[in-house]
Amino acid sequence: MRKKFRKFKKLFCNDYIFSVFQKIMNILTGLVTVSLINRYLGPSLKGEYTYITNIVTVLAVILGFGFYESYPFSKRKKKEKQLEAYLNVFFMQFLFYLLIGAAIAFVTKNRIVTLVAVLVPVQVFTSQMQMVGIVEFIRFRQILQIVNYFIDMLLTLTAYLLIPQSVSVLLFILLIKDILYIVVYLIKCGYFPKKFVIDTKFIVFLFKFGCFAMLTKLLIELNYRIDVLMLKLFVPYAEIGLYSVGSKLAQYVWLIPDAFKEVIYARTAKSDAVNEIKFVLKLNLSITVFIILFILLFGKVIIYLLFGTDYIAAYSVTCIIFFGIPSMVLYKIISPLYMANGKQKKCFCILLASVIANMTANMIFIPLIGKFGAAVSTVLSYSICGCVFYISFIRDYHLKWYEGFFFSKEEIQKIKKYVKNFVHS
């Protein structure tokens, strides 16, 4: 028994293994949560909820100004008292936006507007603390995310069982979840707001670095969400609700490369990790191909079991969206290397081309074929983004085109040996 415990303990000491475990737990609880949300709201209200949360996310990115994106870069440069300096700025931003949100809520006196006005500053602060967690204490962050997803599931279950249909209730649950996230992070950092000292040079640095970082992050989010925002111009909320099924399932599949991406962020904050990145690419692409085949074969059954009869019509659009996932794997795994090396302008240009292609295709295809046009546009933009990043990666680091796609014989032997040793240990 002790031997088995030591084996699992050793296994979970590996950052990648534990990160994947965390994402798997998040996927399981997240799928239950999404299933409850979809059944609770129905396609029409789910479309409205998706539209509102996408707006909140985009606003949060803009108002964050990309300040937190410079954190890994500063860590690599060994900036003095880095954590305290960043947390002071983050907290000041939060208070300022909260005051603006309170003023908006007071003027409008609308419940949903009030929740959105409060959600935006809270999401800004949450994103900032997540970056701190990735760089400073990745294992704690991973455990916290597991707990956070579980709390989200329990709160959503409570709403599903006890409270009548309401978009406002689910927005309030998002708010509670994010506030808990922030409070726990601040306690972990040992941070308590003191007398703020404004370092002008530091603020200038944040704006200078953050400008492109924010625009880059905005382009990322637009690449994920512009389809929903543009669908609202042409189709009813019910169609957006169906489309959101495929979009959300794809986001949960992205949690797998995200697990590796977070570790790569931590690695590249110290040095380049090209060989690691190559191996992680191969592993994630292999997993992604298997998942796509699984969805093609059993997707309709999965959608029925998770979301009910009302959402079976989402199967076709889900299959189309999933074909864009391999390209996003390329982007997610490679981009941390460029960000850590301060090459945010390069990331920005690639993403800009992708978003322009996405918007153009959406304007052409959505009026013609509705939600299917949005799905086709999404796959096109993801393909442009991922392929350009990969081409840039192999050129910059003088690699062969196949090194990120196919395992070498030596790598296969190492994987087999690792699995064999683990099974028989």
Side-chain angles (χ1 to χ4, degrees), residues 303-316:
I303 291 171
Y304 171 73
L305 292 174
L306 286 176
F307 310 126
T309 308
D310 290 342
Y311 290 92
I312 290 179
Y315 168 72
S316 298

Side-chain angles (χ1 to χ4, degrees), residues 24-34 146 149-150 153 252:
I24 290 173
M25 293 300 296
N26 289 355
I27 289 169
L28 294 175
T29 53
L31 283 174
V32 173
T33 303
V34 172
I146 293 173
Y149 268 72
F150 189 73
M153 182 183 70
Y252 281 117

Side-chain angles (χ1 to χ4, degrees), residues 27-77:
I27 289 169
L28 294 175
T29 53
L31 283 174
V32 173
T33 303
V34 172
S35 176
L36 291 169
I37 290 173
N38 284 12
R39 291 173 181 270
Y40 175 65
L41 293 178
S44 185
L45 286 179
K46 178 54 170 39
E48 182 182 352
Y49 172 77
T50 301
Y51 182 69
I52 291 171
T53 53
N54 281 354
I55 289 175
V56 169
T57 301
V58 170
L59 287 175
V61 170
I62 294 170
L63 294 176
F65 288 110
F67 287 174
Y68 65 89
E69 294 286 355
S70 64
Y71 196 83
F73 182 76
S74 295
K75 182 74 174 181
R76 196 166 180 174
K77 298 297 181 181

